[in-house]
Amino acid sequence: MSRSWLWAYRPDIGAATARSCGSALRASTDTQGADTCHDADMSPKGTRALTVLATLVLLTAMGSAVQSRDGSAWLVAPGLVAVIAGWVVVWRVPTSLVGPALAWSSGAIALVLLGERLVPPASVGLWPINLVGLFALLLVFPDGPSRGPLWRGLPWLYVAATFGTVGSAWGSTQVDGMIVGHPTAAQRVVGIASVASIGVCLVMAVVCVVMRYRQGASRQREQIRWLMSAGGVTVALLMAGWVALGLGLSVPAAFGPFLLAIVVLVPVAVGIAVVRHDLFDLDRLLGQSATWLMTLVVSAGLFGVVVLLLSELLSRYTGLVGATAAFVTALVLLPLHQFVNGFIGRLVDRDRYVGVADIRRFAADVHAGRREPEAIEQALREAQGDPELRVLLARPGVSGWVTMTGAPTRGEGFALEAGGDTIARIALGWESARARRRIAELAREAWVPIEVSRLRLALREALTEERASRGRLAKATSQERRRLVRDLHDGAQQRIVASGLRLRLLQRDLSGRAASEVDATIKELKTTVDVLRRLANGVRPSQLDDGLEAALVTVRETTPLPMSLHVGELPVVDDTRALTAYFVVSEAVTNALKHAHASHLDVCVNGEGPRLAIRVSDDGIGGLPADAPLPALRDRVLSVGGKLDVVSLPGGGTTITAVL
Amino acid sequence: MNPGAQRRIVVGEDSVLFREGLVRLLTEQGHDVVAGVGDAVALRAAVDAHHPDLAVIDIRMPPQLESDGAEAAVALRASYPDLGLLLLSQHIQLRHCLGLIGTPGFGYLLKDSVLELDEFAAAIERVVQGGTALDPEVVRALVRARSAPSALDEMSEREKEVLGLVAQGNSNGAVAAALGLSDRTVEAHMRSVFTKLGLHDDGTTHRRVLAVVAYLEARARA
C-alpha cells in the first residue's frame, strides 16, 4: 500500500474547485495526478502529540478507576483497543488525523469519567464528550477534514453545544438513571438548544461520510464501507440498548455493548480500513447474511400467516394445515430469496450488483445479436469502474496473447478458464483484492462474449491468411505462366524456326521431289510454330504486354457475337491482376456464348480508385441464379481478393460484375 | 532470286542457332553481314563501328531479356535516321516500338516469315530503300486497337482493306492482285482515302507514306 494515494483525494463539499477536482477523480478512479487537492492534515508531530494526550488521559482514567474500586475500570480498559488502533494508524500514516481521532474515541470517554470525578457539578452535562472521538472520526475519515466554512464550523458548534449542556446541567446529579436538579428557565432553553445542536452535528457528520462515499474513488469507498459497517452495528447496539432499558436492564448493562462497540468495533474497523481496506469482501458478507436473515424472517412470517388463515378455515385438519403452509412457504422461498438478494444487493453493494447485471445484459444482447461481442472490454471497464482494464485473448492453437484488436501482447492479470484452458486474461488498471474478486465475478458472466470474440478474431486471422495465401498463389501462377510462355517462344518456337531456316537453305541444293518434300516440311513447321504461338497465347496472351486493353481487343476479335468494348482510364495494375481481369472477361464472355443465347455483348472495364471494375452484360435469356456457381470465374476473382456479382433476371439478360 | 544490290547488314539475335541461320541466309542472298551480335549493347557498338545499311534485330535480347531489341531500335533511329531497321519477334509485342511503326525504313516481322525467302528478301529491300515492311499479324493488331478514329470510320470497308494492304508495304499492283481488282480501281480507292485523310498532292510529300502513317497512328493510338 503506497502512501501517496492516501492523500491524493480530499473531499470538499464547500469549495467548487475542489469539487470539480473530486469529480474528475471519480471519473478516472485513478488517484494519481490529483496533487492540487493534496493538503497534509497535520504535521506528524501534531498527530503524535494528540495521540499521546489521549493515551495519557486514558491511562490516568484507568488509574483513577482502579483506585476508586467502583468497577468502572472495566469500562475504561477496552478503550486501550482504540488507542492501540490509533497508534497503528499514526505509525503507518503519520500525518493523518484518523489516528488521533481513533485514540480519542476512547480517550474522550476516559475524559468524561475523569471529569465526573474531578468536577462533580459538571458530571451530568459532560456526556457529549463521549461522542467527540466518533464525531471527529466521521469528519476526518479517511483522508482528512473537509474544507469549507460549514465543515470547519461544525466542530466549534459541537464544542459550544458541549459547554451548553454542561452549563445547563451544572449542579444536577444523576440518581438511579434519573437526573435530579433545579435548572432555571434559561438553563432549560440552553440545554434544549445544545442537545439539538449536538444532534445536528452528528447528523451532519454522517452526511459528510455519505457524501464522501458518493463522491469518492473506489479506494475511498472501500475504506468508508468498513466504517459504515461498524457504524451500522454500533447504531443497532444503541437501539438494542434502548429496548433493553425498556425491558428493565440497568444502564451500564443496556448500553455497555454500545460503548464497547464505539471503543472496540469502530476503532478496529477503521484501523483495518486504513491499513488493509480490502481484507474481506465486506459487502458480500453483509449482503448475504442480511439476505438470508430477511428471507428467513419473511418466510417464517408467511408460514405463520398461512397457518393462521388456514386453521381458521379448516379447524379440524391440523396436519393438512401444516403441510399446506410448508408447501406455500417452500414455493415462495426461492423467488423470495432472489428478490431479497437483488434488493439487498442494490442497497448494500450497488456497484457490484449493477456491474454484474450490466454484464449479464450485455451477454444477452450479444446472444440476441444486438451488440458485437468485441465490445465486452468496454462493458467490463464500465462495470469494473476501471478505464484501464484490458482483455487479453489466448490465440487458439497458437501460444501467446493478443489484445481485442489482435495486437500481440504479454499475458498478465486474472486468468479466465473454460473447459480446462485459459481462454483469456483480464489485466486491471487498479489492483486490489476487492477489484480481483469483482472481476472474477464479472468474468463469470462475460466468458461467452469473450470466447466468441476470441474465436471471431481467430477466424478473421485465418481468413486474412487464407486471402493472402490465395493472392500469393495467384501471383506465382501468373509468374509461372509468363515463364512458360517465354520458354515456348524462346525455346521451342525459336528452334523450330531455326530448323526451318536450315531446311530452306538445304532446299536450294535439292530439286524435284526432294525439294517439294522439304517445302512441305517447312510449311508443316510453320503451322507448328503457329500452333505453339496460339497455345502460348492461351496460357498468357502476349498482347497483355501492350496493356490490358490490347489484350481485351483480342477477345472482341475472337468472339463470334457483336461485342462492344469500353475501356476507361485504368489504374496501374500488376501483371497478376491484369491477367486475372483478362481471364475474367474472356470467361464471362465464354459463359454468355454458351448459355445466354445472346445477340450482343457489352464489356466495360473502368478504374475505381486503385481497383478495376469489370462489367460483362448480355441481352440473353438470363435467369442465372444470383449464387450461380460459375466456379472458374469466382475462383479467379477471389484469387486476387476481388468481389463478384451476378445479376440475371429471366428474360432480362445477365450482368456479371467483378471488382479486382 | 537475288533482287537489288548488296547491302551491309548487322544482325542482332541472341539465339546462336537462329543467328547463324539468318547470317547464312542473308549471305546467300548476296548481302554482306558485317557483324552478328547476341545482345543490345553489342548491337549498338556494332552499328557505331560499321555504319551498316540495315540492322536486323530480335526484339527480345539480353541484357534484360525484355524489349531490349525494340529499345535499341528506337535509340539507333535517333542516332542514325537513315539506318534501316527490321525487327523480328516470336509474337506480336508493340510496346516500345509503336513510335517507329509506319515511319520510313522500318519493318516488323514475325520470325517464321524468314522461312518465305523471297518475301523476306523483298521486305529487306523495301526497308533499306526507306519503305515499310509489317507482318500482317502486326497490322491486324494495330487495326483492332480500340476506338477507331473518325477519318477511318468514314472509309468504306473496301477502302480500309486497300489501305491495310498498302500499310503492309504493298504496291498498288500487289494490292490489286491480292484483292482481285484492277489497278485503276485500287488507285481510285487510294485517291478517296487521301481525300478522306485530308492529304493533298502538293508535289513535295509522299502522300502514300503519309496515308499509311496516318492510318497506323490512328489505329495505334492506344
Side-chain angles (χ1 to χ4, degrees), chain A residues 427-444:
Chain A
L428 300 176
W430 162 253
E431 287 260 10
S432 71
R434 185 183 157 83
R436 281 191 288 275
R437 278 190 300 267
R438 165 74 65 84
I439 197 61
E441 212 165 341
L442 293 178
R444 255 203 305 280

Side-chain angles (χ1 to χ4, degrees), chain A residues 94 113 509 619:
Chain A
L113 286 178
D509 304 332
D619 58 354

Side-chain angles (χ1 to χ4, degrees), chain A residues 590-625:
Chain A
T590 309
N591 218 59
L593 291 177
K594 273 190 197 160
H595 307 297
H597 305 293
S599 62
H600 185 85
L601 292 171
D602 190 45
V603 175
C604 232
V605 181
N606 276 303
E608 270 183 12
R611 288 180 288 274
L612 278 181
I614 300 168
R615 205 191 65 219
V616 179
S617 43
D618 64 56
D619 58 354
I621 53 170
L624 203 65

Side-chain angles (χ1 to χ4, degrees), chain A residues 373-388:
Chain A
E374 283 77 11
I376 184 66
E377 190 173 52
Q378 191 53 39
L380 281 175
R381 279 176 183 168
E382 281 161 17
Q384 177 83 1
D386 182 352
E388 283 171 32

Side-chain angles (χ1 to χ4, degrees), chain A residues 39 55 64 167 251 360 376 387 396 429 526 622 659:
Chain A
D39 183 13
T55 314
S64 162
V251 174
R360 204 171 285 162
I376 184 66
K526 278 193 78 170
V659 178

